[in-house]
Amino acid sequence: MSTEPPSGAGPVVGGGGPGEGVTPSFGDPRVWAPTGPIYYSPKSYAERLDSVIKLRVYAHNDSMAMYNSGKKPGDWTFEKNGEKFGMDQQKIYLGKLALPTALLALLPLNVQGNPAKYQNDRMKEEQRQEIMYNAQRAMDNDEFKIAVKEIRERKDREHKAELAAKHAEQQAQQQAQQDQQPSAQSPPPPPPPPPQQPAQIP
């Protein structure tokens, strides 16, 4: 015979049982659901953030408790067909092959976990490289123009100096020719005056 106190509030239903039946009433939550939506006061930003963090932390803790049950921290290995796969703090297990975890430092694992962030970072890096390339190219063009200008100025100076030297040489030659002409070809002496006959007296 049961020693539990009666838990019902009505007569015995059907073939009976250890307890009495339930008398339906509007206030009994075991029978009646709420009549309408339940309204709560609006949460603040800190309360909503706290609720989201709690959900994330609870899910993370459940996952960690399931996958790390009976394992050391940092042991992410599992067994399949009698072979070990995964990674722990010492090695990387790929079935029959085991590699030291130090090899991860040699692998090009620069891809971020978020593909959108990785694509954004890659686009920014390409833009920066293009800006640096064009800046260097503009600098090279300016330096090239300055070098061409300096070469032209130097060539003009050399050409003017060469022309001035040729002109001075020509003037010196002409002056030397003018100086040599009187000594080499002296003008003929003037003819002597005709003899004068004495005048005859009539």
Side-chain angles (χ1 to χ4, degrees):
M1 184 174 178
S2 176
T3 58
E4 294 181 0
S7 59
V12 176
V13 180
E20 298 179 351
V22 177
T23 302
S25 63
F26 290 103
D28 194 341
R30 295 176 296 175
V31 177
W32 298 98
T35 57
I38 300 175
Y39 296 97
Y40 298 96
S41 61
K43 292 183 178 181
S44 63
Y45 176 77
E47 291 174 346
R48 286 186 280 120
L49 183 62
D50 183 66
S51 299
V52 173
I53 292 176
K54 281 183 179 178
L55 291 176
R56 297 288 185 180
V57 170
Y58 289 158
H60 176 74
N61 289 340
D62 291 341
S63 300
M64 296 297 292
M66 182 175 63
Y67 286 108
N68 281 338
S69 58
K71 296 182 180 180
K72 296 180 180 180
D75 187 0
W76 297 91
T77 59
F78 63 94
E79 292 186 3
K80 184 177 181 182
N81 298 329
E83 296 181 354
K84 196 173 184 180
F85 295 88
M87 180 180 67
D88 59 10
Q89 295 181 352
Q90 301 295 329
K91 294 182 180 181
I92 303 171
Y93 300 95
L94 301 172
K96 297 179 180 180
L97 182 64
L99 302 174
T101 55
L103 292 178
L104 289 176
L106 303 177
L107 298 178
L109 300 177
N110 296 326
V111 180
Q112 301 293 329
N114 188 352
K117 185 177 183 301
Y118 169 70
Q119 187 69 21
N120 190 18
D121 294 342
R122 181 178 178 182
M123 183 177 63
K124 288 182 180 179
E125 181 63 22
E126 290 178 355
Q127 291 176 353
R128 191 183 74 85
Q129 293 292 338
E130 186 175 357
I131 290 173
M132 296 296 294
Y133 172 75
N134 289 329
Q136 184 65 34
R137 183 177 178 184
M139 186 183 301
D140 294 341
N141 289 338
D142 293 340
E143 293 177 355
F144 177 74
K145 290 178 181 178
I146 293 173
V148 170
K149 184 178 179 181
E150 292 178 354
I151 292 173
R152 286 180 178 175
E153 292 177 353
R154 180 171 57 81
K155 290 292 185 181
D156 290 341
R157 289 195 301 268
E158 292 177 356
H159 184 64
K160 289 179 180 179
E162 186 178 356
L163 290 178
K166 288 182 179 180
H167 184 66
E169 186 179 356
Q170 291 177 358
Q171 286 184 348
Q173 290 179 357
Q174 291 177 359
Q175 186 66 31
Q177 290 177 0
Q178 291 178 2
D179 293 342
Q180 291 176 0
Q181 282 179 359
S183 60
Q185 298 179 359
S186 56
Q196 295 181 1
Q197 296 180 357
Q200 295 180 1
I201 298 174

